[in-house]
Amino acid sequence: MKRILVTGGAGFIGSHLCERLLKDGNEVICVDNFFTGSKENIVDMIGNPYFELVRHDVVTPFLAEVDEIYNLACPASPVHYQYNGIKTIKTSVMGAINMLGLAKRTRAKILQASTSEVYGDPLIHPQLENYWGHVNPIGARSCYDEGKRCAESLFMNYHRQNGVRIKIIRIFNTYGPKMHPNDGRVVSNFIVQALQRQDITIYGNGNQTRSFQYVDDLVEGMIRLMGTPDDFIGPVNVGNPGEFTIRQLAEMVIRQTGSKSKLVYLPLPQDDPVQRQPNIELAKEKLGWKPVVPLEEGLQKTIAYFTGKLGL
Ligand code: NAD
Ligand code: UDP
């Protein structure tokens, strides 16, 4: 039985990961400060003797004897990470330093939840891991983008200098049950708006694209990456290459919910990337992984979750 630390374990992705790790027969320590996560996400695991919940902020050091660390602590929605940009940078950078220090002391393997945002508003399409990105270092998104880029650099430097066993995963837009209804990200916004018969808020003209991955596919990719030999460290893209415009997504949500909501067009936020699609050849080769849940099916499951959550 491995003892596995998940930072950000009460969040959307973290809570799915904790469930899967427990199911696979591991002991799980979930560390979270509940900034965007919630106890509701993990309530089914509380009481399981192999699950420990610790309220802790990763900006300060954390000590425990662990075999593996999944470092997910960081707000991921633009609305939340821009709420207190300084704190977002501290969480990414100091959180990475503290968790890498722990990995160094305990000789644990550590996986960093990085992001497609390290590519910024990309000038190549689809994005490959060897692309260095096109990031505005002083813009509204930079607290997140540069924080994550600095975390990747910290991971590489701990690996090179101290031989820490690292894995870097670059996650593309992920959605599914347990997203917060007020999370602010596009899939949860559109579904909640459609179910509540509110206007669907498209930012800009809706021609910008994203590639949406269902959370179960991501969790499978994370676990496979952690299980690769020590000489494979990534970074590796994990996402669903199916690319949709935001308007197409809105239309799908309306169709699948049978909603009468109307589309409204609001200003595009600063530095909103125009196009995003992962090249996943490396994940296919090294992890034997590819996504298996199409958008339509994943949306159905997510709509069912929000229907229950909103008491509709
Ligand atoms: P989320 O906001 O639901 O989860 C983040 C979790 O981290 C929350 O539980 C939050 O309370 C916790 N947290 C935040 N700051 C903390 C701190 N200082 N100390 C301890 N805990 C803290 O977001 P998510 O979508 O589950 O994202 C999880 C990770 O995956 C993040 O690192 C994010 O950057 C990365 N990621 C997510 C996506 C996506 O589409 N969901 C895409 C790329 C990368
Ligand atoms: N978006 C939108 N309406 C919303 C929320 C988001 O049109 O209510 C757009 C947003 O401008 C972006 C895309 O959807 O172009 C994805 O936004 P999200 O915040 O989900 O993720 P990110 O921009 O980080 O990929």
Side-chain angles (χ1 to χ4, degrees):
M1 188 181 249
K2 280 183 289 198
R3 189 177 307 135
I4 303 180
L5 173 62
V6 179
T7 75
F12 157 52
I13 296 170
S15 56
H16 286 273
L17 179 64
C18 288
E19 270 172 16
R20 169 67 190 272
L21 292 171
L22 278 179
K23 207 177 284 170
D24 288 352
N26 300 291
E27 197 177 324
V28 173
I29 304 176
C30 163
V31 160
D32 207 293
N33 72 347
F34 298 110
F35 174 50
T36 50
S38 79
K39 280 194 186 157
E40 258 176 76
N41 284 343
I42 48 171
V43 73
D44 293 343
M45 291 177 269
I46 293 172
N48 181 326
Y50 298 108
F51 180 76
E52 281 171 72
L53 172 62
V54 185
R55 182 186 288 264
H56 175 84
D57 192 313
V58 295
V59 164
T60 58
F62 179 77
L63 298 179
E65 293 300 316
V66 293
D67 302 301
E68 291 177 357
I69 304 168
Y70 288 85
N71 187 38
L72 274 67
C74 187
S77 156
V79 180
H80 290 132
Y81 70 63
Q82 288 170 33
Y83 171 75
N84 182 347
I86 298 167
K87 176 71 192 208
T88 300
I89 297 172
K90 283 186 179 172
T91 296
S92 267
V93 175
M94 292 163 74
I97 291 171
N98 287 327
M99 289 306 138
L100 284 160
L102 180 63
K104 186 179 154 193
R105 282 193 298 278
T106 58
R107 300 187 183 282
K109 242 191 296 188
I110 179 166
L111 179 148
Q112 167 65 1
S114 192
T115 166
S116 51
E117 282 285 319
V118 300
Y119 302 124
D121 191 2
L123 301 178
I124 67 146
H125 193 77
Q127 292 80 55
L128 258 172
E129 288 86 351
N130 63 8
Y131 177 51
W132 291 355
H134 178 234
V135 174
N136 176 356
I138 56 171
R141 295 172 85 99
S142 68
C143 56
Y144 184 74
D145 299 9
E146 298 292 12
K148 289 283 185 179
R149 286 166 67 98
C150 183
E152 284 200 11
S153 173
L154 282 162
F155 268 66
M156 291 305 300
N157 280 286
Y158 270 78
H159 175 68
R160 282 191 286 254
Q161 271 176 247
N162 302 112
V164 174
R165 295 184 297 153
I166 63 159
K167 309 280 179 192
I168 300 173
I169 187 169
R170 290 189 181 147
I171 302 169
F172 282 66
N173 294 66
T174 304
Y175 69 96
K178 294 192 180 183
M179 290 184 93
H180 196 282
N182 298 325
D183 182 82
R185 280 178 282 188
V186 69
V187 174
S188 46
N189 267 13
F190 284 4
I191 292 178
V192 169
Q193 289 163 345
L195 291 174
Q196 296 185 330
R197 294 182 182 203
Q198 296 161 357
D199 291 341
I200 306 260
T201 54
I202 293 186
Y203 303 157
N205 58 16
N207 290 335
Q208 71 270 38
T209 69
R210 293 294 186 274
S211 303
F212 299 102
Q213 148 173 255
Y214 189 64
V215 64
D216 290 355
D217 282 335
L218 168 63
V219 167
E220 180 64 34
M222 294 176 101
I223 287 173
R224 285 190 188 211
L225 174 58
M226 190 61 110
T228 52
D230 285 352
D231 63 355
F232 182 67
I233 61 175
V236 57
N237 291 338
V238 171
N240 190 322
E243 186 183 1
F244 296 85
T245 68
I246 294 305
R247 198 174 331 107
Q248 282 174 323
L249 176 73
E251 285 159 0
M252 281 178 84
V253 169
I254 287 180
R255 199 169 53 244
Q256 288 189 229
T257 52
S259 173
K260 298 213 161 39
S261 292
K262 286 192 287 297
L263 306 184
V264 295
Y265 292 85
L266 301 178
L268 191 68
Q270 190 198 15
D271 296 336
D272 200 281
V274 176
Q275 257 189 325
R276 191 183 280 156
Q277 185 193 33
N279 174 309
I280 58 164
E281 292 310 308
L282 187 63
K284 283 185 184 163
E285 181 198 331
K286 297 287 186 183
L287 316 182
W289 173 93
K290 63 177 176 16
V292 294
V293 183
L295 182 56
E296 198 144 333
E297 183 186 330
L299 282 180
Q300 238 151 36
K301 293 182 181 177
T302 313
I303 290 166
Y305 167 79
F306 279 114
T307 305
K309 177 95 183 159
L310 301 172
L312 298 168

